[in-house]
Amino acid sequence: MKIILINCLIFGSILWLLRTIIILLLAREQKQRTKNRLITSTLFLPESTYPSVSILIPALNEAQTIARCMLSCIACSYHNKEILVIDDGSTDETSREAGIIQSSHPANRIKVFKLRHNKGKTAALNYALSQATSDLIVTLDADTIFSEKNSLHTFLSPLIHLKNCSGTTANLHVRHPHEPLGMVQRIEYTKVLNSSKRAQSLLRSILILPGAMSAFRHQALAAIGGFSASTLAEDADATMQLLRQGHLLTFQANCIGVTEGPHTLIDLLRQRLRWRVGQLECLIKHSRLLLASPATTFFYIDMGVMNTISALTPVITVLALSQDISDAFLPLTTLMIGCFAADLAATAITFQLDDQSMPGLWAYVLYVSFFTLFSPLITWAAISQLLFNRTTGWHTSKRY
């Protein structure tokens, strides 16, 4: 029994290391290939040739962030746009704050809709989609902003220059990177999410275009019936549906979106639980992606395997420690140190790819501690919700 458990730990560590090396190599290649392409720069076309874009902003109790979000959209130099805010039954002053921005910027096409009852983010997005009149659709969380005036140009350029491209997503950064939880999320976004997006974009197999900041062809979304409410991850659901139909999806690393992110541990755990449940639901719903292409098969299995490792590693570790491992103490200690060293190196590489400064050791320790302790719990909680058919609703994190 002891030998089996130790071998499982070694095998899992080797599997994780190989996976990390593959992702990093693909991410680096993606950056090199897109470095000098037109799609990573601002557009050089006449303003009159820009396709129209509708920016959809679903909001639930976002009175503290909605104005900042709307103003960032207004500030974008891309003029052929409309802004649609959907207040999904908020109990605060979200509609009032959005209305103030609307009335104070009459030159901009802004519409504010107030739903009488909370129907969920998917319903809010679909309502906005039914009101949108543009060729392109941008989904934007109410706590997320464009970082620069030319961000929208850069963001939409793949959809304009590549006729077979139907969706794209941005490079998300955390707004509060100096808070303890902000440090954790900053490393997670850069190391885990963005590096995976780079690798998947290179092989044309992006599995999730996050709703926080993504863009689509209106026609492509309409063809799949808009956003589905059958899973908790409407963004992943739509992405996988488009991928199954052969649409090209890309990652725009040069477009920076700044998102608020949770400030409290409870909010962070609730958000990650919703993400994890939605991802697992989408993997089950879109299992045919296993046969779509070799690259899609790899990333589909990768998502499933990473969730499995997240769930089983603590169990195997506890069982191994319950045995007499004195004769295996040195190799296991060496394995642990090696894994931490490799992970730290991987973190440094991903921050270099993203042109960001490497976080301090304290931030890295917080990140490792959080995901070592809480990621397995989130995975098991997600599995429990799926098994017992429980749901997690849309909620708003505390704002500061």
Side-chain angles (χ1 to χ4, degrees):
M1 181 64 173
K2 178 179 69 174
I3 295 176
I4 294 175
L5 292 172
I6 292 174
N7 286 338
C8 285
L9 286 174
I10 295 174
F11 176 75
S13 300
I14 293 174
L15 187 66
W16 167 82
L17 181 60
L18 289 175
R19 179 260 181 196
T20 300
I21 292 173
I22 291 172
I23 295 295
L24 290 178
L25 290 174
L26 292 173
R28 182 177 288 277
E29 179 65 18
Q30 186 271 347
K31 181 173 183 177
Q32 290 299 318
R33 289 194 185 186
T34 59
K35 192 173 184 179
N36 298 314
R37 286 183 184 174
L38 180 61
I39 63 171
T40 63
S41 62
T42 55
L43 300 177
F44 298 99
L45 299 174
E47 179 77 12
S48 60
T49 66
Y50 293 176
S52 57
V53 56
S54 295
I55 304 175
L56 315 185
I57 310 175
L60 174 63
N61 295 330
E62 292 285 6
Q64 292 182 265
T65 64
I66 191 63
R68 183 170 65 241
C69 177
M70 294 174 68
L71 289 173
S72 84
C73 297
I74 293 170
C76 285
S77 55
Y78 195 109
H79 298 298
N80 192 8
K81 63 179 182 286
E82 64 174 356
I83 301 168
L84 280 63
V85 177
I86 316 90
D87 182 347
D88 186 29
S90 296
T91 57
D92 66 358
E93 299 297 320
T94 297
S95 290
R96 179 178 176 276
E97 294 295 325
I100 291 174
I101 300 299
Q102 179 186 33
S103 60
S104 60
H105 294 82
N108 291 268
R109 290 184 291 155
I110 302 174
K111 299 177 183 177
V112 179
F113 303 96
K114 170 73 173 181
L115 304 184
R116 297 183 63 181
H117 304 289
N118 176 248
K119 297 182 179 180
K121 186 176 182 179
T122 303
L125 281 170
N126 283 330
Y127 181 82
L129 195 60
S130 70
Q131 303 297 316
T133 60
S134 304
D135 302 318
L136 304 180
I137 299 294
V138 169
T139 62
L140 188 66
D141 280 357
D143 64 350
T144 306
I145 63 172
F146 292 103
S147 63
E148 299 178 356
K149 289 186 176 181
N150 67 346
S151 290
L152 200 51
H153 290 85
T154 306
F155 190 33
L156 298 177
S157 57
L159 293 168
I160 296 172
H161 292 287
L162 303 176
K163 299 303 180 183
N164 62 332
C165 180
S166 295
T168 188
T169 190
N171 186 334
L172 292 175
H173 290 188
V174 178
R175 185 170 179 263
H176 49 100
H178 302 298
E179 296 178 8
L181 287 184
M183 296 177 186
V184 170
Q185 294 171 78
R186 181 186 178 221
I187 296 177
E188 179 194 19
Y189 274 62
T190 303
K191 176 192 166 191
V192 181
L193 303 183
N194 289 344
S195 61
S196 294
K197 290 289 185 298
R198 286 182 184 276
Q200 292 172 3
S201 182
L202 176 70
L203 300 182
R204 300 191 172 192
S205 53
I206 292 181
L207 294 178
I208 302 175
L209 298 176
M213 186 179 284
S214 289
F216 307 87
R217 292 195 188 280
H218 197 158
Q219 185 177 13
L221 279 180
I224 62 172
F227 295 95
S228 172
S230 64
T231 71
L232 286 180
E234 77 291 329
D235 48 5
D237 202 336
T239 306
M240 292 185 187
Q241 183 69 21
L242 291 171
L243 191 60
R244 280 175 52 188
Q245 295 183 359
H247 293 271
L248 173 62
L249 310 173
T250 67
F251 172 64
Q252 277 297 84
N254 283 9
C255 175
I256 307 298
V258 182
T259 189
E260 183 86 4
H263 292 267
T264 69
L265 182 59
I266 294 298
D267 283 339
L268 182 60
L269 292 176
R270 289 174 66 183
Q271 183 193 66
R272 294 305 190 268
L273 177 59
R274 184 176 183 275
W275 287 7
R276 195 70 54 87
V277 172
Q279 288 174 11
L280 294 176
E281 287 177 330
C282 289
L283 287 177
I284 295 170
K285 179 179 178 180
H286 299 285
S287 58
R288 280 181 288 179
L289 282 172
L290 275 168
L291 305 176
S293 70
T296 304
T297 299
F298 171 78
F299 289 113
Y300 181 96
I301 293 175
D302 173 64
M303 186 178 292
V305 169
M306 287 302 103
N307 277 288
T308 302
I309 290 178
S310 170
L312 295 183
T313 298
V315 177
I316 296 174
T317 302
V318 171
L319 290 175
L321 292 176
S322 68
Q323 308 289 316
D324 180 11
I325 59 170
S326 56
D327 55 338
F329 179 77
L330 182 58
L332 286 179
T333 302
T334 303
L335 176 67
M336 182 180 68
I337 295 174
C339 286
F340 277 119
D343 189 68
L344 187 59
T347 302
I349 292 172
T350 55
F351 271 82
Q352 184 270 330
L353 287 174
D354 217 36
D355 298 320
Q356 296 189 63
S357 59
M358 176 68 180
L361 186 59
W362 166 240
Y364 177 75
V365 170
L366 277 177
Y367 164 79
V368 172
S369 300
F370 175 83
F371 283 99
T372 300
L373 293 172
F374 292 106
S375 186
L377 294 177
I378 293 170
T379 302
W380 281 110
I383 293 172
S384 174
Q385 287 205 9
L386 290 174
L387 290 176
F388 294 100
N389 198 28
R390 297 172 182 170
T391 59
T392 299
W394 181 26
H395 74 283
T396 301
S397 300
K398 293 180 180 179
R399 306 301 186 197
Y400 296 95

